Amino acid sequence: VQLQASGGGLVQPGGSLKLSCATSGFDLDLFAIGWFRQVPGKEREGITCISGTDGSLYYADSVKGRFTFSRDSAKRGFYLQMDSLKPEDTGVYFCATGWGTSCTEDEYGYWGQGTLVTVSS
């Protein structure tokens, strides 16, 4: 199982970025997939996930209405469209796959390397 996140960078507040996660070694339609964010001194936070049990889509309150999670199983990739970015969205973003229902770090066993997003003027 491999995941590789890309698309991070520096963007001004109010701007947009799209993160991509290229995958191999597992079926995107059968397992949980998600995006997590980590900032220095804090635990990794689940931003948006698709449940591995019922396919339900979760968004953290902090990103609802601004971020959009999508998946392209044919291309073996999933994506995070981030709009109306705020300075507090700054962090390292990780894509991951696991087996659970909750968008929590302990239910995800395979991780990409992370891509840095910096929102600053």
Side-chain angles (χ1 to χ4, degrees), residues 68-99:
T68 305
F69 188 7
S70 62
R71 170 178 55 186
D72 188 333
S73 300
K75 294 184 178 180
R76 304 198 56 79
F78 57 98
Y79 312 93
L80 181 63
Q81 177 67 44
M82 306 186 294
D83 299 317
S84 302
L85 282 161
K86 303 176 180 179
E88 52 263 44
D89 294 320
T90 294
V92 179
Y93 285 71
F94 297 86
C95 57
T97 186
W99 43 84

Side-chain angles (χ1 to χ4, degrees), residues 5-6 11 16 19 30 34 50-51 61 65 70-71 76 86 89 91 95-96 104 106 112 117:
S6 62
V11 62
S16 298
L19 306 184
L30 298 181
I50 295 176
S51 167
D61 288 343
S70 62
R71 170 178 55 186
R76 304 198 56 79
K86 303 176 180 179
D89 294 320
C95 57
T104 55
D106 61 344
V117 173

Side-chain angles (χ1 to χ4, degrees), residues 35-37 45-49 58-60 63 67 80 93 103:
W35 288 97
F36 293 75
R37 176 173 67 201
E45 173 192 15
I47 297 301
T48 176
C49 298
Y58 164 86
Y59 288 100
V63 305
F67 289 13
L80 181 63
Y93 285 71
C103 197

